[in-house]
Amino acid sequence: MKILVIGGGGREHALCWKLAGEGHELFCAPGNPGIAEVAVCNQIKINDRKGLLDWAKEVQAELVVVGPEDPLISGMADMFRENGFLVFGPGQDAARLEGSKAFSKDMMKRAGVPTARHQVFSDPGAAKEFAAQLCASDEGVVIKASGAALGKGVVVCDDFEHAEIVIEEMLVGGIMGDAGRTIVVEERLRGKEFSLLTLVSRSQIRSLPVAQDYKRIGDGDTGLNTGGMGSYSPVNWVSDDLVAQVEEEVVKPILASLAELDIDFRGVLFSGLMLVGEHPYCLEYNVRFGDPEIQTIVSRLGDGFAEALLACAKGEAIPEISVQNNAACTVVVASGGYPGEYEKGNKISVKSVPDSVTHFHAGTANSGGDLVTAGGRVIAVCGVGSDLESAREHAYAGVDGVSFSGKQFRSDIAK
Ligand SMILES: Nc1ncnc2c1ncn2[C@@H]1O[C@H](COP(=O)(O)OP(=O)(O)OP(=O)(O)O)[C@@H](O)[C@H]1O
Ligand SMILES: [Mg+2]
């Protein structure tokens, strides 16, 4: 099958690597130097809708997979569908689950999905009043910019004084721009976080193996939040029963509520969860594969991934995907300074690696024949093994083989 993947980061490299490995012919725009090893890349800008559509026609793509959230939120899947393509990725309506936290929370409430108590505000006075109310019964409160804010729009506040400042900054100061003109003020939950990625074909679902991710930059979960610094799978504390419970309480009800509004979901639903006592609460939905969770997940899947994505695109029953009896660990190698300011254009050298290690490129580029850094997260190194310990060893051996000036990574992934 000819498959066109839209995007050019670590997630898209993992998708192309897996799909090419199943014997399909891969095309990717804009791609990156790592993706170019497994797919034909064409550096069309992601906002060049016409250019992407023309190329999809030219290569006669039989399946289009839209990777990142931004194009999904702005309706790229709809554009391809309207032009007769089979697309894995929700349309603009369904992508509001990620693009608008106000919409998402209201849908959760309507669907009866367990989630933190909340209200939506654009008036600072009313927002502060509700925040004060929540702070009176618990320590802290969470303030969220409603719009897509590159993972920087959520602030967990320890007390009302902090919440007041954040509300003021977002609603009056406008520091999040339009994304923060509407905010969600919600109850602060405490528990252990995990996420579940579920393939969705209308009302039919199939969850992928659970992978635990690491959001903070520093060892021991310290320092600033990032796009994700590593992941591993399997996760022993998330049982099959818990996954089934999340499917029943968090995934199926939201899809049913979307269906009531005539919204059809064909893609992947990422449920961000917190286990409070024994009860899973939904913190958020995303509408794309998690990065770097998907690098770990595809390294554990057997055959049938492409067929499953195609079935979702068609709205048909999703065939089973086998899962190998192995473990995988992904460690992100990032630029010095990330998630703050960082240098670009530093020369990267990558030593050749055994089969148990894969380098998924995220922020890399070619410059005058050299591979150079081009983003905060540079390469996600995934190791596989018969158990987590060996997967971890392989991943870190692969990390050692990557060098560039300013290289940083967490040393405690899957520890
Ligand atoms: N109600 C809550 N109680 C406690 N912590 C919360 C709550 N809501 C969010 N958080 C914390 O904030 C983080 C980010 O929240 P959320 O996932 O909604 O934001 P996001 O910016 O959309 O994240 P992502 O980039 O993963 O999509 C969560 O992973 C969690 O650690
Ligand atoms: Mg999100």
Side-chain angles (χ1 to χ4, degrees):
M1 174 163 54
K2 292 179 178 179
I3 306 175
L4 170 60
V5 173
I6 306 294
R11 166 182 37 230
E12 289 75 29
H13 190 179
L15 293 172
C16 288
W17 173 86
K18 172 65 180 148
L19 296 167
E22 290 186 352
H24 300 283
E25 198 180 340
L26 267 294
F27 300 87
C28 185
N32 68 36
I35 297 175
E37 291 169 15
V38 294
V40 176
C41 292
N42 189 342
Q43 288 186 8
I44 304 168
K45 291 222 168 65
I46 206 133
N47 54 11
D48 177 4
R49 293 282 181 94
K50 178 160 185 318
L52 293 172
L53 183 60
D54 286 347
W55 197 47
K57 288 178 182 165
E58 188 187 322
V59 305
Q60 299 182 326
E62 292 156 275
L63 172 66
V64 178
V65 179
V66 182
E69 59 271 27
D70 284 349
L72 289 166
I73 291 167
S74 59
M76 188 179 289
D78 306 289
M79 174 199 74
F80 280 112
R81 280 195 188 101
E82 283 155 14
N83 283 276
F85 289 94
L86 286 170
V87 186
F88 180 88
Q92 188 161 27
D93 277 357
R96 288 173 72 202
L97 282 185
E98 176 160 3
S100 164
K101 287 193 185 289
F103 172 78
S104 192
K105 289 289 291 192
D106 287 347
M107 288 298 288
M108 287 184 218
K109 206 164 166 183
R110 182 187 170 118
V113 170
T115 187
R117 265 195 307 147
H118 83 285
Q119 280 184 32
V120 176
F121 298 96
S122 47
D123 172 64
K128 286 178 198 170
E129 208 172 296
F130 185 62
Q133 213 178 307
L134 288 177
C135 286
S137 55
D138 186 15
E139 278 166 40
V141 60
V142 182
I143 313 292
K144 302 184 172 186
S146 179
L150 296 169
K152 296 198 166 79
V154 173
V155 186
V156 178
C157 304
D158 285 326
D159 50 40
F160 176 68
E161 286 63 41
H162 187 195
E164 215 176 2
I165 295 170
V166 175
I167 291 168
E168 193 77 14
E169 282 175 346
M170 287 192 191
L171 290 181
V172 184
I175 60 158
M176 303 306 310
D178 284 347
R181 297 285 171 207
T182 301
I183 63 171
V184 173
V185 176
E186 72 178 41
E187 175 193 10
R188 179 175 181 181
L189 301 174
R190 279 158 216 272
K192 246 173 141 170
E193 278 188 64
F194 67 109
S195 47
L196 184 68
L197 272 65
T198 306
L199 300 182
V200 178
S201 176
R202 301 183 171 183
S203 62
Q204 311 194 51
I205 63 170
R206 195 171 285 286
S207 293
L208 298 173
V210 174
Q212 179 81 54
D213 74 333
Y214 292 75
K215 280 273 171 232
R216 302 293 193 92
I217 186 70
D219 282 1
D221 287 330
T222 53
L224 294 172
N225 259 321
T226 68
M229 293 301 290
S231 67
Y232 70 87
S233 177
V235 182
N236 63 15
W237 65 274
V238 180
S239 66
D240 291 349
D241 284 350
L242 179 55
V243 169
Q245 189 182 354
V246 171
E247 289 182 341
E248 290 307 318
E249 296 178 3
V250 176
V251 179
K252 287 181 185 171
I254 201 79
L255 296 175
S257 288
L258 287 176
E260 276 170 24
L261 300 178
D262 263 334
I263 300 176
D264 177 21
F265 197 112
R266 301 183 194 196
V268 60
L269 184 68
F270 171 127
S271 307
L273 304 150
M274 189 176 273
L275 192 63
V276 183
E278 305 208 311
H279 303 284
Y281 280 71
C282 184
L283 295 180
E284 64 149 352
Y285 294 110
N286 293 317
V287 299
R288 35 75 188 177
F289 292 107
D291 179 352
E293 289 95 323
I294 193 61
Q295 289 88 331
T296 287
I297 292 170
V298 293
S299 301
R300 296 198 59 217
L301 295 180
D303 280 341
F305 190 55
E307 295 310 321
L309 301 189
L310 181 67
C312 294
K314 288 180 173 168
E316 292 176 352
I318 310 169
E320 197 171 334
I321 312 169
S322 62
V323 178
Q324 300 175 56
N325 188 17
N326 66 355
C329 170
T330 299
V331 179
V332 170
V333 181
S335 297
Y338 175 78
E341 297 277 308
Y342 55 83
E343 289 179 356
K344 287 185 186 176
N346 292 337
K347 196 174 158 187
I348 308 170
S349 83
V350 182
K351 285 207 187 109
S352 71
V353 287
D355 280 353
S356 55
V357 180
T358 310
H359 288 111
F360 293 111
H361 289 221
T364 69
N366 278 322
S367 171
D370 287 333
L371 185 67
V372 299
T373 62
R377 294 189 295 167
V378 178
I379 293 180
V381 185
C382 182
V384 292
S386 55
D387 55 22
L388 264 183
E389 205 172 314
S390 65
R392 180 170 192 279
E393 261 171 38
H394 294 150
Y396 278 100
V399 168
D400 282 344
V402 175
S403 38
F404 56 85
S405 161
K407 166 188 168 187
Q408 61 161 337
F409 58 91
R410 273 182 70 157
S411 67
D412 63 346
I413 306 300
K415 207 167 190 175

